[in-house]
Amino acid sequence: MIEFKDLKRQYAALKDEIDGAISDVLKVCDFISGDSVRRLERELERYIGVKHCITCANGTDALSLAAEVLGIGEGDAIFIPDFTFFATGEIVSAVNATPVFVDVDNDTFNISPSALEYSITQVIKQGKLKPKAIIPVDLYGLPADMLRIRQIAEKYNLMVIEDGAQGFGGSTNGLKACSFGDISITSFFPAKPLGCYGDGGALFTDNDEYANTLRSLCVHGKGSDKYDNVRIGRNSRLDTIQAAVLLVKLKAFEETELSKLNKIASYYSENLKGNFILPTIPQGFYSSWAQYTLRFKDKQARDAAKKKLFENQIPSLIYYPKAMRNQTAFNGKGLYFGNGGTDLLCDTVLSIPIHPYLQDSEVFTIINFVNKL
Ligand SMILES: *Cc1c(COP(=O)(O)O)cnc(C)c1O
């Protein structure tokens, strides 16, 4: 049976190592801030190529901790893509800053640098809010155009928080996703490219001061020890058991899973042909294929395709059915200077199964059915 993401097969493949890692934690009962947490942070620093990794309770916390450390608050304009998971915008409003929804590039699904620069100049022109930060998202595993985004950030003196919740494992010009922000984040939600067995997240930065503050904020604003509280923080830690699972999964991700994902994506890209558009990976970019997403000509064609795949036992999902700026929760809370480009994507995208435990025969079954749509 073809699953959209097959965590059961992954567990079957890694069972001995994962069971061993969990039982090692059970033997010493260091459930909070145990040895595996530190080891995982060192491994992630090596993998991403940054000075500091700070694990935390989930990706949403990671985003809001980053916003807090960068001093984002009331009166600040924060530029985010209009096409992403809700959390990217949610954390902006949660600290009373104003989200500015920016159109994405239809071919890469990532924030459009030209639309971004236009939105920044419009906010400056209005003169009401202070442009403060950009939160580019590495959607579906593909890093955003970080080189251009960083140039724009420097030109207008903005901070960058890279939302790499879906981007872990991707890279551009040899540099890894989650290394491009003043602070970058990822999520270990089970279905993400590197997932744990519950909630989890991490922050990445080269800045020593940000790293120290983040380590403190995650543990009730601790100072020299946890009963010396020097700031108002929160409790946002990654459990030792989750870290132990992630150490096993990171090894599998590096050794086999990421290259398998790219092999499946290239089978798709070479063999899928029909009334749909395939995802584009620009020159110099490498995706971790959190999703493989087709675009159809209109909503009717997309919905019909989804139904037909379902009838043939091929799961497919719509990421995302609604533009961020149209979410009820943002009613009147954000700014938008675009032309509604995201709405077309919401009506026409369809993600088909991709995970490292798909067998070649299953990949060709999928190709076969999709080509008949
Ligand atoms: C999943 C996701 C998040 C949130 O991560 P959680 O760990 O679920 O809190 C944030 N941003 C994007 C783009 C995501 O896909």
Side-chain angles (χ1 to χ4, degrees):
M1 164 125 145
I2 296 174
E3 301 265 9
F4 192 73
K5 299 275 171 213
D6 204 330
L7 296 175
K8 292 191 192 110
R9 277 191 198 168
Q10 186 193 42
Y11 177 58
L14 305 176
K15 185 176 187 312
D16 290 347
E17 280 183 273
I18 287 179
D19 289 358
I22 292 175
S23 103
D24 286 346
V25 178
L26 298 182
K27 276 174 212 145
V28 290
C29 295
D30 58 349
F31 299 117
I32 303 292
S33 306
D35 187 48
S36 298
V37 177
R38 260 185 312 277
R39 281 200 293 134
L40 176 68
E41 289 179 346
R42 296 302 85 78
E43 277 291 285
L44 289 169
E45 285 159 3
R46 171 194 62 77
Y47 183 79
I48 303 292
V50 289
K51 203 164 164 198
H52 304 284
C53 167
I54 302 98
T55 53
C56 67
N58 57 67
T60 309
D61 268 9
L63 283 170
S64 65
L65 285 158
E68 195 175 334
V69 167
L70 298 182
I72 292 169
E74 201 166 342
D76 293 333
I78 310 300
F79 301 85
I80 60 170
D82 192 28
F83 189 60
T84 172
F85 179 63
F86 186 63
T88 317
E90 180 180 32
I91 63 101
V92 174
S93 289
V95 294
N96 297 316
T98 302
V100 183
F101 306 104
V102 179
D103 283 338
V104 299
D105 177 339
N106 279 4
D107 290 324
T108 63
F109 305 105
N110 281 329
I111 195 164
S112 151
S114 56
L116 170 64
E117 186 159 16
Y118 179 73
S119 304
I120 296 169
T121 57
Q122 290 304 107
V123 170
I124 293 171
K125 212 161 152 191
Q126 284 189 346
K128 291 190 190 122
L129 297 169
K130 179 182 172 351
K132 178 96 173 216
I134 309 164
I135 311 184
V137 175
D138 305 326
L139 205 73
Y140 305 153
L142 177 68
D145 191 348
M146 288 300 177
L147 203 69
R148 285 186 65 196
I149 292 166
R150 289 235 58 116
Q151 283 166 352
I152 293 168
E154 266 155 49
K155 183 167 167 191
Y156 296 95
N157 198 19
L158 304 181
M159 309 285 227
V160 176
I161 301 173
E162 179 188 357
D163 181 347
Q166 300 179 19
F168 190 89
S171 57
T172 154
N173 295 313
L175 296 173
K176 288 255 166 47
C178 302
S179 71
F180 297 102
D182 293 284
I183 301 176
S184 303
I185 72 99
T186 198
S187 162
F188 302 124
F189 181 84
K192 308 279 173 166
L194 179 65
C196 61
Y197 286 162
D199 276 310
L203 297 120
F204 304 91
T205 184
D206 284 325
N207 183 305
D208 298 343
E209 202 182 311
Y210 295 161
N212 285 338
T213 312
L214 287 167
R215 289 191 191 287
S216 164
L217 284 174
C218 289
V219 189
H220 306 290
K222 70 172 176 172
S224 52
D225 70 67
K226 71 175 172 176
Y227 300 111
D228 169 35
N229 305 92
V230 296
R231 54 174 70 78
I232 300 299
R234 65 176 88 180
N235 176 5
S236 185
R237 291 179 294 226
L238 182 74
D239 296 357
T240 311
I241 287 182
Q242 299 302 343
V245 169
L246 283 165
L247 278 164
V248 175
K249 287 218 203 180
L250 176 61
K251 185 162 155 275
F253 185 78
E254 270 193 275
E255 285 175 0
T256 61
E257 293 181 356
L258 183 58
S259 53
K260 184 76 198 295
L261 283 164
N262 275 276
K263 189 173 139 208
I264 295 168
S266 65
Y267 281 154
Y268 279 163
S269 297
E270 282 156 25
N271 294 289
L272 288 174
K273 280 176 194 68
N275 290 320
F276 45 74
I277 302 169
L278 301 176
T280 309
I281 304 301
Q283 184 78 34
F285 283 69
Y286 184 78
S287 177
S288 58
W289 297 104
Q291 306 299 342
Y292 190 97
T293 304
L294 306 172
R295 277 183 289 152
F296 289 81
K297 77 173 191 307
D298 54 26
K299 186 168 191 307
Q300 205 184 349
R302 191 272 311 272
D303 291 349
K306 185 167 185 2
K307 183 160 173 277
K308 212 161 154 197
L309 288 176
F310 177 77
E311 285 163 3
N312 289 291
Q313 277 95 47
I314 308 225
S316 63
L317 287 166
I318 298 167
Y319 294 115
Y320 293 90
K322 206 178 206 183
M324 180 89 96
R325 71 178 196 288
N326 293 332
Q327 293 286 358
T328 314
F330 287 124
N331 216 337
K333 285 205 179 88
L335 295 174
Y336 179 63
F337 304 98
N339 55 19
T342 310
D343 302 325
L344 179 68
L345 286 180
C346 295
D347 283 348
T348 57
V349 290
L350 189 65
S351 302
I352 60 173
I354 189 161
H355 63 74
Y357 298 89
L358 273 174
Q359 292 152 9
D360 287 359
S361 63
E362 293 172 322
V363 174
F364 284 99
T365 301
I366 295 168
I367 289 170
N368 216 8
F369 280 118
V370 172
N371 283 346
K372 284 192 208 135
L373 290 174

